[in-house]
């Protein structure tokens, strides 16, 4: 900046000097403005991501941190990928943790949004009540959600078991989180409960952005309520459904907190998922290299998901034209 | 107006009532677990395990006094407020400056690629970085130092904050900046004296979002803050319901207090927050 203006002959018109200075300053200014954020993102995303890859090729214990580990090539990956525990965790992460809860959230979320979008809630000015109640799980921190559900599902004193026993459906309460037949259902309930509001309010926002003329026109043409929903509303919700599905998939696939707090991956290793497996490997077994390798495997799977995400969004945009 | 032709008024009212009753009943079922937590938190320890279904038993605030005077929970609260407030303030200031750069300078060479990177980091699974970040913070001696958590929370929140504020700033006419620039204001003065007052609603949304996601965060706090006096609320609360002993009345009381900040923020700003936070997915 100074270099440019210094070279300017001082005898020339001062206005040109100002313009030149302003021009070069404004060329650098955007970089100066975005620099702090970019440095932070580089240090906390790019840096660790690259270091994670380096770590995954080393044997390094938590106690040896600060030193360079022993470079062992693909040994960590060979071990992680041939370990049956990884396959088990991958299966758990994909099906019971992610697919089941994403599908449940989409179905329940859409159903609830369609119900709450009924014009009567607006006509009777109940919007505030609907929003307040639906937001309650969402404002509950995940840790609190797990605490609340652990208590509700308690084998002896929990409301759920007391209800079931009281109605004569059970002889005695079920320890939901300690049995393999019920543990996933219990974790999925906690997760869906806490994360459902996001899906409901996003669907609600999308429903409210559909122009009412469209529905009116169809009604005038003699369409039934059911036809209006299947032929007009649902097709218009396709893009937002795709976005919700992909976002919730990515968030859930990497989720650590629900499984960890509900079961620590138990009973035994029955509910271990990739995120908890990674944590245990790095911070309980102190094997940072192997933990990093699980992280690399997870990022590669997520990378494919992200590609699908952009593909879906892109295709929908093309289709809309 | 939007009613099917030929529906009689009583039938319509009946249908409205059924819809509202069904909707509110469902919402109450959904809200129940947390409402139950609140109820239990006011119950004496001795009555928690009996009379499950009695809504009102003996009302007491002894759980709250016990938690706040005779447990490490106040320390957790202080730690969480400290870390989350600083992280939120810094993240919002940096995000505002960055969003201004992206919004007002549309042609600088690296803009497209930097913008794509910001959007991609939003989807980046931060969880995966816990192992390398621990190693990095360890090597600079920041384990058990609040700074590591503050920095992590700033980084986690920046991408979404920049993205949301960029959308806001784009709607603010550039004439405002130009008028201020003619008056001799510097860029930072323009951002904080001209843009900030106008972009205030967007800044509040971003701040609330950043604070809440830091407040809720568990894994980083668990890994980077290992000593008792450094624990944040989520990790501290989780240690209350360990595998062996659980004092449910204290867990429930701590749960209510842990939820209060987010509950208050969302209740105050619910309508606006909901529309701002869902806009990204709906706009597509």
């Amino acid at each position: 900046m100074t270099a440019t203006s210094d070279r300017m002959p001082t005898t020339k018109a001062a206005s040109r000097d100002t313009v030149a200075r302003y021009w070069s300053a404004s060329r650098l200014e955007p970089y100066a403005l975005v620099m702090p954020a970019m440095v932070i993102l580089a240090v906390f995303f790019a840096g660790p991501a690259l270091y994670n890859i380096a770590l995954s090729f080393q044997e390094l214990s938590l106690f040896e941190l600060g030193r360079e580990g022993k470079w062992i090539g693909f040994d960590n990956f060979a071990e992680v990928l041939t370990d049956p525990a990884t396959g088990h965790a991958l299966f758990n992460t994909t099906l019971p943790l992610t697919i089941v809860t994403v599908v449940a959230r989409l179905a329940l979320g859409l159903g609830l949004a369609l119900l709450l979008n009924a014009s009567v809630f607006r006509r009777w000015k109940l919007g505030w009540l609907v929003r307040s109640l639906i937001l309650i799980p969402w404002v509950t921190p995940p840790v609190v959600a797990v605490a609340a559900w652990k208590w509700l599902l308690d084998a002896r004193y929990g409301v759920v078991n007391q209800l079931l026993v009281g109605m004569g459906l059970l002889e005695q309460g079920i320890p939901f989180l300690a049995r393999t037949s019920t543990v996933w259902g219990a974790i999925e309930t906690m997760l869906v409960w806490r994360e459902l509001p996001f899906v409901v309010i996003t669907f609600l926002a999308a429903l409210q952005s559909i122009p009412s003329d469209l529905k009116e026109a169809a009604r005038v043409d003699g369409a039934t309520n059911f036809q209006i929903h299947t032929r007009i509303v649902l097709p218009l919700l396709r893009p937002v459904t795709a976005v919700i599905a992909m976002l919730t998939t990515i968030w859930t696939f990497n989720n650590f907190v629900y499984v960890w707090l509900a079961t620590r991956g138990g009973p035994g290793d029955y509910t271990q998922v990739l995120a908890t497996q990674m944590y245990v490997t790095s911070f309980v077994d102190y094997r940072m290299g192997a933990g990093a390798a699980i992280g690399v495997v997870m990022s590669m799977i997520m990378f494919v998901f992200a590609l699908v995400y952009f593909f879906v969004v892109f295709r929908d945009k093309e289709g809309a034209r | 107006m939007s009613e099917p032709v030929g529906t009689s008024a009583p039938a319509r009212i009946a249908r409205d009532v059924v819809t509202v009753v069904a909707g509110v009943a469902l919402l109450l079922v959904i809200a129940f677990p947390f409402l139950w937590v609140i109820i239990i938190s006011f119950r004496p320890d001795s009555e928690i395990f009996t009379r499950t279904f009695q809504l009102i038993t003996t009302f007491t605030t002894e759980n709250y006094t016990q938690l706040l005077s005779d447990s490490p929970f106040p320390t957790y609260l202080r730690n969480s407020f400290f870390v989350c407030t600083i992280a939120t303030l810094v993240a919002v200031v940096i995000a505002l400056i960055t969003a201004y750069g992206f919004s007002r300078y549309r042609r600088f060479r690296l803009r497209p690629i930097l913008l794509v990177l910001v959007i991609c980091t939003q989807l980046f699974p931060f969880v995966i970085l816990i192992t390398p970040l621990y190693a990095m913070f360890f090597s600079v001696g920041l384990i058990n130092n609040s700074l590591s958590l503050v920095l992590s929370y700033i980084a986690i929140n920046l991408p979404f904050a920049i993205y949301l504020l960029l959308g806001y700033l784009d709607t603010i006419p550039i004439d405002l900046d130009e008028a201020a620039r003619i008056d001799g204001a510097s860029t930072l003065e323009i951002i904080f004296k001209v843009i900030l007052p106008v972009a205030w609603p967007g800044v509040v949304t971003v701040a609330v979002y950043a604070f809440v996601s830091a407040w809720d965060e568990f894994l980083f706090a668990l890994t980077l803050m290992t000593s008792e006096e450094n624990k944040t609320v989520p990790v501290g609360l989780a240690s209350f319901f360990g595998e062996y002993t659980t004092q449910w009345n204290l867990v429930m009381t701590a749960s209510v207090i842990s939820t209060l900040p987010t509950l208050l923020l969302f209740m105050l700003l619910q309508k606006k927050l909901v529309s701002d936070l869902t806009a990204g997915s709906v706009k597509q």
Side-chain angles (χ1 to χ4, degrees):
Chain A
M1 176 175 129
T2 40
T4 335
S5 45
D6 281 352
R7 248 184 279 126
M8 283 274 177
T10 40
T11 46
K12 291 264 176 178
S15 67
R16 247 175 89 187
D17 185 38
T18 323
V19 167
R21 193 179 303 184
Y22 179 74
W23 171 234
S24 66
S26 68
R27 270 177 57 138
L28 286 178
E29 195 160 75
Y31 291 102
L33 289 171
V34 303
M35 182 77 80
M38 296 308 131
V39 169
I40 292 178
L41 295 185
V43 171
F44 289 93
F45 286 91
L50 293 175
Y51 182 50
N52 195 48
I53 295 173
L55 259 182
S56 70
F57 292 106
Q58 299 173 35
E59 191 183 316
L60 182 67
S61 141
L62 189 76
F63 303 113
E64 303 168 324
L65 279 180
R67 275 176 277 163
E68 195 178 353
K70 201 170 97 197
W71 291 86
I72 53 170
F74 284 90
D75 283 8
N76 283 326
F77 289 97
E79 185 212 305
V80 163
L81 293 175
T82 54
D83 185 353
T86 311
H88 180 66
L90 177 61
F91 173 81
N92 279 343
T93 312
T94 315
L95 188 66
L97 182 71
T98 306
I99 295 180
V100 170
T101 62
V102 168
V103 171
R105 268 176 282 178
L106 287 175
L108 294 172
L110 180 59
L112 210 53
L114 286 171
L115 175 68
L116 298 177
N117 191 44
S119 62
V120 57
F121 289 101
R122 251 160 294 146
R123 276 185 280 124
W124 292 5
K125 305 225 181 313
L126 290 172
W128 63 274
L129 180 68
V130 168
R131 270 193 310 272
S132 308
L133 287 175
I134 196 67
L135 280 175
I136 283 183
W138 207 30
V139 299
T140 311
V143 181
V144 173
V146 175
W149 277 99
K150 270 193 143 174
W151 172 236
L152 288 174
L153 295 174
D154 188 84
R156 284 183 67 189
Y157 307 109
V159 170
V160 175
N161 274 312
Q162 297 219 344
L163 212 60
L164 292 173
V165 174
M167 292 193 303
L169 292 173
L170 287 178
E171 286 282 299
Q172 63 184 76
I174 300 174
F176 288 100
L177 287 167
R179 285 206 188 154
T180 54
S181 54
T182 51
V183 63
W184 268 120
I187 296 175
E188 285 157 359
T189 305
M190 298 174 185
L191 195 156
V192 170
W193 180 77
R194 167 62 174 65
E195 310 288 339
L196 185 62
F198 170 78
V199 180
V200 175
I201 57 171
T202 310
F203 270 133
L204 260 178
L207 282 171
Q208 280 160 10
S209 72
I210 296 176
S212 56
D213 319 8
L214 274 178
K215 290 187 262 185
E216 282 309 309
R219 219 185 289 281
V220 169
D221 288 346
T224 63
N225 234 332
F226 181 74
Q227 283 172 324
I228 291 174
H229 277 106
T230 51
R231 306 274 174 81
I232 297 176
V233 175
L234 291 184
L236 283 172
L237 288 182
R238 258 195 56 206
V240 73
T241 311
V243 173
I244 298 176
M246 285 304 154
L247 283 178
T248 49
T249 300
I250 292 175
W251 291 336
T252 314
F253 189 88
N254 296 297
N255 189 278
F256 168 83
V257 71
Y258 293 103
V259 169
W260 184 253
L261 289 177
T263 65
R264 296 275 193 279
D269 275 333
Y270 188 77
T271 56
Q272 205 72 264
V273 291
L274 287 174
T276 54
Q277 180 101 339
M278 181 185 72
Y279 177 82
V280 169
T281 309
S282 286
F283 297 100
V284 179
D285 299 341
Y286 307 128
R287 299 170 57 229
M288 306 293 274
I294 298 176
V296 170
V297 172
M298 287 173 73
S299 2
M300 272 154 54
I301 298 172
M302 273 306 96
F303 183 67
V304 174
F305 267 120
L307 283 183
V308 173
Y309 174 81
F310 285 113
F311 174 75
V312 168
V313 172
F314 185 69
R315 196 193 54 186
D316 273 2
K317 275 194 175 160
E318 291 290 293
R321 258 174 223 155
Chain B
M1 191 179 98
S2 63
E3 297 308 311
V5 189
T7 317
S8 67
R12 211 175 60 201
I13 292 171
R15 212 192 49 194
D16 282 352
V17 171
V18 170
T19 311
V20 168
V21 169
V24 173
L26 265 175
L27 289 172
L28 281 175
V29 170
I30 290 175
F32 172 75
F34 186 68
L35 302 178
W36 189 243
V37 169
I38 299 178
I39 293 171
I40 294 284
S41 75
F42 288 107
R43 230 176 238 198
D45 194 19
S46 53
E47 288 180 37
I48 267 198
F49 298 110
T50 56
R51 311 184 194 185
T52 305
F53 287 108
Q54 228 167 308
L55 271 186
I56 312 292
T57 52
T58 318
F59 178 90
T60 175
T61 52
E62 83 184 61
N63 295 329
Y64 287 87
T65 36
Q66 195 194 338
L67 186 78
L68 294 176
S69 61
D70 190 25
S71 85
F73 199 69
T75 313
Y76 306 153
L77 277 174
R78 221 175 301 126
N79 294 338
S80 266
F81 269 112
F82 177 74
V83 168
C84 298
T85 308
I86 298 195
T88 302
L89 286 177
V90 178
V92 168
V93 168
I94 296 180
L96 185 65
I97 295 172
T98 315
Y100 183 86
F102 280 125
S103 169
R104 293 314 197 235
Y105 299 88
R106 312 227 121 214
R107 326 194 56 154
F108 67 95
R109 182 177 294 206
L110 291 177
R111 185 180 187 273
I113 188 165
L114 290 179
L115 210 47
V116 167
L117 284 177
V118 168
I119 292 168
C120 286
T121 43
Q122 236 181 301
L123 289 174
F124 194 90
F126 218 60
V127 174
I128 289 165
L129 302 182
I130 190 64
T131 307
L133 271 179
Y134 182 90
M136 284 167 56
F137 281 127
F138 182 89
S139 59
V140 289
L142 284 181
I143 300 298
N144 267 319
N145 185 323
S146 314
L147 188 59
S148 63
L149 216 48
V150 169
L151 288 170
S152 304
Y153 291 166
I154 293 171
I156 294 177
N157 279 314
L158 262 187
F160 181 75
I162 294 172
Y163 180 72
L164 206 148
L165 280 178
L166 177 57
Y168 247 87
L169 296 195
D170 278 348
T171 64
I172 298 174
I174 199 160
D175 312 1
L176 275 179
D177 314 30
E178 274 159 7
R181 202 176 287 283
I182 289 168
D183 291 344
S186 73
T187 305
L188 284 180
E189 278 172 339
I190 292 175
I191 294 177
F192 290 103
K193 291 193 180 147
V194 180
I195 298 295
L196 180 60
V198 185
W200 190 242
V203 171
V204 170
T205 300
V206 169
V208 169
Y209 175 85
F211 185 88
V212 169
S213 59
W215 185 262
D216 286 356
E217 204 285 328
F218 182 77
L219 179 59
F220 280 72
L222 173 74
T223 327
L224 301 176
M225 296 289 155
T226 49
S227 72
E228 182 64 24
E229 73 268 16
N230 285 320
K231 279 184 182 166
T232 59
V233 165
V235 179
L237 174 56
S239 66
F240 282 2
F241 57 104
E243 283 163 275
Y244 307 108
T245 52
T246 297
Q247 286 180 284
W248 282 112
N249 58 330
L250 288 190
V251 172
M252 295 301 124
T253 310
S255 293
V256 174
I257 298 179
S258 315
T259 312
L260 274 183
T262 50
L263 188 71
L264 290 178
L265 287 173
F266 271 77
M267 288 300 157
L268 285 176
L269 304 160
Q270 47 157 318
K271 198 167 185 180
K272 215 190 107 36
L273 273 178
V274 166
S275 61
D276 280 352
L277 295 179
T278 54
S281 330
V282 179
K283 245 188 285 172
Q284 290 310 318

